Amino acid sequence: MAIPLAYNFRSLFVRKATTIATALGVGLVVFVLAASMMLSNGIRETMVSSGSPANALILRKGSDTELASSIENKFFSVVQAAPGVKRDGDGQPLSTGDVVVVVALDRLASGPGQVSNVLVRGVMDNVFKLRPQVKLVQGRPAKPGTDEAIIGKGLLGGYGGLTLGGTFELKKNRAVNVVGVFEAGGSSYESEVWVNIDTLRASFGRDGLFSSITVQLDDPNKYEAFATVVESDKQLGLESFREREYYDKQSEGTSMVISTLGGITAVLFSVGAMIGAMITMYGSVALRSREIGTLRALGFSRFSILVAFLLESTALAALGGLAGTLVSLVCTFFKFSTMNYNTWQEVSFTFRASPGVMGFALAAGCVMGVVGGFLPALRAAYTSPVDAMRA
Amino acid sequence: MQLSSLATRNVLRNRFRTIATALGVAVAILAFVLLRTVVSAWTEGAEYAAKDRLGTRHKVSFILSLPLRYVAEVEQIPGVKRSMGASWFGAKHPTREQEFFATIAVQSKAFFEVYDEIQVPEAQRAAWMENRKGAIVGRVLAKKFGWNVGDRVKLRGTIYPGDWDFEISGIYDSQRRSVDLASFFFHYDYLNDSVPARRKDQIGWIASRIDSSDKAAQISKQIDEKFDERDIQTLSMSEKALNNSFMGMFAAVLGAMDLVSIVILLIMMLILGNTVAMGVRERTHEYGVLRAIGFLPRHLASFVLGEAAAIGALGGGLGLLLSYPVVEKGLGRFLEENMSGFFPVFRIDTSTTIQAFVFATLLGLIAAAIPAYRTSKLNVIDALRRVG
Amino acid sequence: MTDEKKTGTGTNGSKMIEVRNVTKSFVRGKETLEVLKGLDLDVPEGSFDALMGPSGSGKSTLLNLIAGLDQPSSGKVVVGGSEPASMSDSARAQWRARNVGFVFQTFNMMPVLTALENVELPLLLTKLPSKERKQRAQIALRVVGLEDRMHHYPNQLSGGQEQRVAIARAIVSDPKIIVADEPTGDLDRKSADEILDLLQRLNREQNKTIIMVTHDPSAAERATVIHRLDKGALAQN
């Protein structure tokens, strides 16, 4: 026969302070675990959502990143003509080219004289057709052919000159006016400044060059055909990526560092929390040895006692885990900016909660309760009814 | 036996619980030391960076180049002892492309004067000067790829596409702690001769040795003022300031680590406090007896505090004992070899060790504060009445 | 007052303990319980007194007042010429350390200390140097006949032996009175007898004034005087 759950549940509340302390310990561990998973998620999602599944990104062969890539103008039409490129209503191929640079701007959050690298993307007028997730939320779009720029909302307030109406310099005496702010579905574009491509080319001496070419495909499944054609021509010296995969790779390093660090810390913490749970449960068992002896004398099996105490420690841990998980949701309100060291730009990330993360964190908490409470539960189960009565 | 040792004797009461608690504290200390060492190793670059060396780069973006002639002009500025142009080459190992390392083209004649902490045996240095395609590589890098002096290596260029041939002329080392021993330096002339006309005579940045680190800010300003009127303006600052800027971009990560360090300490306090509270609860009757025979409330409180501090210190010591093999030997070696750009030196700081031990003991005291207070306020009769 | 006096035992003129018109009330929630009601008691020096009575009669409360662990709601308690109720908490603690020896039902040894160290405990509150403390503790253990076990831990001793160590602890600072609350309650017949023999010996040979609360009539028989309490008053004959 099973020991009534009510017994276990109520026993938890007899020693409130100890219960709370142990649950808190588990809660803290779960919080750190959930937060680091959410951040890692956030980094991946931020980068990946910059890529559209229907788009292909072309770089110069051997360059890992847009920043290092350089493609001559004349290859643009060749890429456009490759098989599988979607055409718009006017029969024009959906393709655009970017020039990507990083610019040193004053980092307002640090002390004076501290600069940070902000990614500036020179775009063609048709860029929005290939990146429909980009939407203007303040101000107006930059007028074609002018020294106007729009900035991603992740940059607002972080850097000198990057405000609606502000200015910064791309080249000496060539000021750029910020006329609009855009959002981009939480992707890394929100940490970028977009200017007219020719303005950027002129300022950086990149006339006749692109950093990358982006095309939209008719059928994402026919990507291989497109890629083969583009890459096979040795004269072009180009490499193609699915846009999603490219961005995924960009985030790999940073995301991995965060999740590794978070993982190691969480593992170490959880050992601590489990030890804490174990100590508490041992204490509880010792205190209630007379009770347990009585239960045994009444006829409850060793197994039912084992289960009962395991349930108790798991419930205790679950309580803490639930609290930790819920509190971790607060993180989603915060921005987290760090350097993406693939591209040396500072990118703003958010904490992305997902049912998977929450579930895992909660489960981890419960596991801590089971593991930590196992030995004490065993001790309880092996209490001899006679000894206990004598205590 | 003294009054003071009574507290510590009590830890022997429930040996299992004491050891389990000390273990919990030890694990927390291990995590703490790990995190603090990551932070300190990471920021150490900034700490040990040269204050008497300046970096000058394009004002707008580090990806834009400066004209080569700027180097000589910077050297003219009063206070500048020697200037050297350098360019980021950005090449990869042909077969081990994922393993990143720094490749830099430098004006070799000025190299050893500007970077005097880089040590290369005289013979190798001379050989390098003679060999147009020669390169000197850091000790850690050489070990990683199994390169020896005299080896021919091929690197795959990214910014400068194609396959580039080099010969290892020498292997460098350094006495200075924070020097990255995994870099690859070769002659700027080799690069400059091989690029198309429009990319010639350009330099990524200029490193300058100045005669006094106090004048770093002043000389930086002078350099920038000199080029202010030109089309290509500069941004100069000391190497230390550069590192600080760099670290600034990671401010959030560092901040998060600090936060997590605090969380660790909290967890530690909870474990300790829990154990102390359980012990106190068990001994209520005994405390009553002690009060009866004449011990004062403050004596009892000190027993509780002393016991907590003892367990904390025990756990702290245990944790530190664990930290050395795990953090320094284990993780440290790995990071020094594979991420030496970020962690050229991964050693546990003395201050981290002291902090860890002090925190463990101190937090024991803090965690025991409330139980100790409660114990001192015990009503003797009630305590005596309690059984067991 | 029912005092059954045994003849020929050490009663002399001076009063060690004087209880005058003492009442003690406790407040429990909204009710006030009067546990002791206007009690008078005299205990001469060198007397071995037993306090008996049904549970709730107030005998332990009376013992606590005499021992200086609690203070009367009204009335006076004078022990060895001092009035503990009039002292500050810390002065009272010090007074107890010097003047009162405690023997409890549950022996109350500190498990992490040896017998010798346990007996030494009260002396830690004095300014005696370590060597002298150890000597005195050893002597006390000799008196109770456990010198050969002085380095044993409580878990290595039997119940009776533990209680004897407790008695050694009670006498080590040469107190004026020994207060014993059910000293034989947790012991088997044989050990109980040994303890009572010891107490009697301390009373007769060293003229120790002993107040003992007990349920056990055969324990009470060992005393010089038996007081019976009922509902907070010493029963009148």
Side-chain angles (χ1 to χ4, degrees), chain A residues 15 18 21-22 24-25 28-29 32 60 62-64 68 100-104 107 110 113-117 169-172 204 206 261 264-265 268-269 271-272 275-276 278-280 282-283 336-339 341 344 346, chain B residues 16-17 20-21 23-24 27 30-31 34-35 57 59-64 92 158-159 161 228-231 233 237 241 244-246 248-253 256-257 260 263-264 266-267 270-271 274-275 278 281 339 342:
Chain A
R15 299 191 306 160
T18 307
T22 311
L24 208 65
L28 279 171
V29 180
V32 170
R60 183 180 64 195
S63 308
D64 289 321
V100 170
V101 301
V102 282
V103 169
R107 190 171 191 277
S110 310
Q114 304 269 41
V115 293
S116 183
N117 296 317
E169 269 188 4
L170 265 187
K171 186 184 161 84
K172 183 170 170 184
F204 274 63
R206 296 282 180 94
L261 214 58
I264 295 180
T265 331
L268 282 172
F269 280 17
V271 172
I275 292 181
M278 185 176 71
I279 296 175
T280 302
Y282 262 117
F336 191 87
S337 82
T338 185
M339 186 174 85
Y341 68 69
W344 286 59
E346 194 167 349
Chain B
F16 174 76
R17 193 163 66 203
T21 309
L23 221 70
V27 167
L30 181 62
L34 174 67
L35 267 170
R57 50 173 256 194
K59 184 175 178 192
V60 174
S61 169
F62 74 79
I63 71 170
L64 290 173
K92 294 188 279 193
T158 55
I159 304 173
D228 195 43
E229 292 303 306
R230 317 275 183 90
D231 263 351
Q233 296 167 306
M237 56 179 100
N244 279 335
S245 252
F246 184 76
M249 289 200 275
F250 290 103
V253 177
M257 288 196 189
V260 172
V263 169
I264 297 178
L266 279 173
I267 294 183
L270 280 172
I271 297 179
N274 196 14
T275 298
M278 290 201 323
R281 215 192 327 250
M339 290 185 78
F342 279 106

Side-chain angles (χ1 to χ4, degrees), chain A residues 56-76 79 97-100 206 208-214 230-241 246 249-250, chain B residues 63 88-92 97 156-164 191 194-196 198-199:
Chain A
L57 186 78
I58 290 98
L59 299 177
R60 183 180 64 195
K61 193 163 164 57
S63 308
D64 289 321
T65 170
E66 283 177 295
L67 211 60
S69 160
S70 199
I71 303 174
E72 287 177 57
N73 231 352
K74 63 189 185 198
F75 297 144
F76 188 65
V79 172
D98 299 346
V99 172
V100 170
R206 296 282 180 94
L209 295 170
F210 288 108
S211 297
S212 66
I213 300 173
T214 310
V230 166
E231 289 179 350
S232 58
D233 188 340
K234 296 290 176 217
Q235 277 213 319
L236 294 177
L238 299 174
E239 202 172 340
S240 170
F241 299 89
Y246 167 76
K249 250 180 61 159
Q250 296 299 298
Chain B
I63 71 170
W88 183 264
F89 187 59
K92 294 188 279 193
E97 291 193 357
R156 191 156 296 167
T158 55
I159 304 173
Y160 303 91
D163 286 339
W164 294 69
L191 173 66
S194 316
V195 296
R198 63 177 172 79
R199 289 183 101 169

Side-chain angles (χ1 to χ4, degrees), chain A residues 199-221:
Chain A
T199 306
L200 194 58
R201 276 172 165 165
S203 310
F204 274 63
R206 296 282 180 94
D207 295 304
L209 295 170
F210 288 108
S211 297
S212 66
I213 300 173
T214 310
V215 302
Q216 195 176 104
L217 297 171
D218 262 329
D219 181 359
N221 295 319

Side-chain angles (χ1 to χ4, degrees), chain A residues 235-301:
Chain A
Q235 277 213 319
L236 294 177
L238 299 174
E239 202 172 340
S240 170
F241 299 89
R242 283 186 197 271
E243 204 179 36
R244 274 260 151 111
E245 276 173 26
Y246 167 76
Y247 279 106
D248 197 27
K249 250 180 61 159
Q250 296 299 298
S251 71
E252 228 173 40
T254 316
S255 159
M256 205 179 49
V257 168
I258 302 268
S259 41
T260 308
L261 214 58
I264 295 180
T265 331
V267 166
L268 282 172
F269 280 17
S270 62
V271 172
M274 282 192 281
I275 292 181
M278 185 176 71
I279 296 175
T280 302
M281 290 309 295
Y282 262 117
S284 176
V285 167
L287 206 68
R288 288 145 71 186
S289 58
R290 208 170 283 177
E291 257 172 62
I292 303 171
T294 310
L295 286 171
R296 292 273 290 128
L298 287 177
F300 286 94
S301 68

